[in-house]
C-alpha cells in the first residue's frame, strides 16, 4: 500500500492548525514544523498565512531560512498561502527584508485595499476544474510580476493571485479556511510527482 505523504506546516506563527486539518482531509499526514529536524522528515512544506515581517525574522532566528531554501532547491514541493507566498517570493514591492526567493514573482502586500481587507470571491481556477473556487482573501498580497517560467493560475480583478513555478505553488488566498479541498489536493499531486521522481532517480542510480 502506498504510504501517505508527510507534509509539514511551518509553525513559527500563523494559521497552522487549519492547514494540518485540511491536508489530512485531502489524504496526507501533516505535522507542525518548528526545527530543522522536523523539516528533514517531510515530503513537502506549507508556509501558512500570518505576518510576513515577523516570520521572516523568525526564520533566521530558528535557523530555518537556509535549510528550507536548500530542501526546495533539491526539489521539495513548497506551497505558500498569503504570508507564505510573500515569504517565498523573489521580492516584495513594498518591503526590503530578504525573502526566501524560491519563486520568481514580485508581490505587493495588503494590495487589495482597506475597504477590501477581507473578502470571499468565487474564483475561476482552470487547473481545479469548471467549478469556481471559494477564495478567502485576508489583507492579501497580489502578484505584480511573474518571471518567464512561472505559470499564472488565477487572477482576481486583473491581478495575479495563484502561481506555480515547478514544485513551488503560491496563493494570495486561504484554501485552509474553506471546506473545499481542491487546492490542497492539487498541492498533494505535486508532492506525489516529486516523490515518484526521487524514487526513479535513486532506483536508476
Ligand atoms: N498582510 C499579511 C502580511 O503582509 C499577510 C496576511 C495573511 O497572511 N493573511 O504579512
Amino acid at each position: 500500500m502506498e504510504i501517505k505523504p508527510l507534509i509539514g506546516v511551518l509553525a513559527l506563527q500563523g494559521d497552522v492548525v487549519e492547514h494540518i486539518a485540511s491536508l489530512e482531509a485531502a489524504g496526507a499526514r501533516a505535522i507542525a514544523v518548528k526545527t530543522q529536524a522536523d523539516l528533514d522528515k517531510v515530503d513537502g512544506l506549507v508556509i501558512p498565512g500570518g505576518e510576513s515581517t515577523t516570520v521572516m525574522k523568525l526564520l533566521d532566528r530558528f535557523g530555518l531560512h537556509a535549510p528550507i531554501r536548500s530542501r526546495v532547491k533539491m526539489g521539495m514541493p513548497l506551497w505558500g498561502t498569503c504570508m507564505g507566498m510573500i515569504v517565498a517570493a523573489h521580492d516584495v514591492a513594498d518591503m526590503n527584508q530578504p525573502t526566501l526567493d524560491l519563486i520568481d514573482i514580485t508581490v505587493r502586500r495588503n494590495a487589495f485595499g482597506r475597504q477590501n481587507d477581507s473578502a470571499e470571491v468565487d474564483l475561476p481556477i482552470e487547473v481545479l476544474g469548471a467549478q469556481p473556487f471559494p477564495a478567502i482573501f485576508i489583507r492579501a498580497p497580489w502578484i505584480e510580476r511573474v518571471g518567464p517560467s512561472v505559470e499564472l493560475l488565477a487572477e482576481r480583478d486583473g491581478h495575479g493571485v495563484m502561481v506555480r513555478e515547478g514544485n513551488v505553488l503560491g496563493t494570495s488566498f486561504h484554501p485552509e479556511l474553506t471546506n473545499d479541498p481542491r487546492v490542497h489536493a492539487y498541492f498533494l499531486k505535486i508532492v506525489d510527482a516529486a516523490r515518484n521522481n526521487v524514487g526513479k532517480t535513486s532506483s536508476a542510480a
Side-chain angles (χ1 to χ4, degrees):
M1 204 183 77
E2 183 81 13
I3 299 171
K4 289 181 178 182
L6 181 65
I7 310 298
V9 181
L10 186 71
L12 303 181
Q13 188 255 343
D15 20 290
V16 178
V17 289
E18 295 87 348
H19 263 300
I20 289 183
S22 300
L23 287 161
E24 287 172 347
R29 296 172 296 143
I31 57 166
V33 167
K34 287 200 173 105
T35 64
Q36 189 174 349
D38 300 330
L39 181 69
D40 288 345
K41 293 184 218 156
V42 301
D43 301 306
L45 182 70
V46 174
I47 304 183
E51 185 49 49
S52 49
T53 49
T54 308
V55 168
M56 285 188 219
K57 283 185 207 134
L58 292 177
L59 277 172
D60 273 332
R61 195 174 309 156
F62 283 69
L64 283 170
H65 187 111
I68 291 175
R69 265 185 68 81
S70 80
R71 281 292 314 272
V72 175
K73 293 277 177 201
M74 303 274 289
M76 180 186 73
L78 172 72
W79 172 20
T81 57
C82 201
M83 171 276 275
M85 181 176 77
I86 298 170
V87 171
H90 171 68
D91 61 340
V92 185
D94 51 334
M95 192 176 75
N96 287 326
Q97 259 174 284
T99 59
L100 288 172
D101 188 9
L102 287 166
I103 179 165
D104 188 13
I105 57 173
T106 303
V107 298
R108 183 174 293 276
R109 298 167 65 218
N110 305 316
F112 286 98
R114 281 236 154 262
Q115 72 285 20
N116 234 328
D117 249 7
S118 135
E120 182 170 334
V121 176
D122 279 335
L123 202 64
I125 306 178
E126 215 176 295
V127 292
L128 301 184
Q131 176 97 10
F133 189 85
I136 296 178
F137 291 84
I138 304 169
R139 293 184 300 285
W142 70 37
I143 299 150
E144 304 210 319
R145 180 195 63 87
V146 295
S149 50
V150 176
E151 291 171 78
L152 184 59
L153 300 178
E155 287 181 88
R156 173 184 169 198
D157 302 336
H159 302 288
V161 293
M162 179 170 178
V163 276
R164 174 176 176 182
E165 184 180 22
N167 287 343
V168 182
L169 182 66
T171 54
S172 297
F173 49 95
H174 291 267
E176 77 285 4
L177 300 180
T178 66
N179 292 322
D180 190 324
R182 285 180 294 161
V183 184
H184 287 83
Y186 181 75
F187 180 63
L188 292 181
K189 268 197 226 150
I190 299 175
V191 172
D192 267 345
R195 284 164 95 211
N196 288 335
N197 262 335
V198 170
K200 269 183 210 126
T201 321
S202 53
S203 61

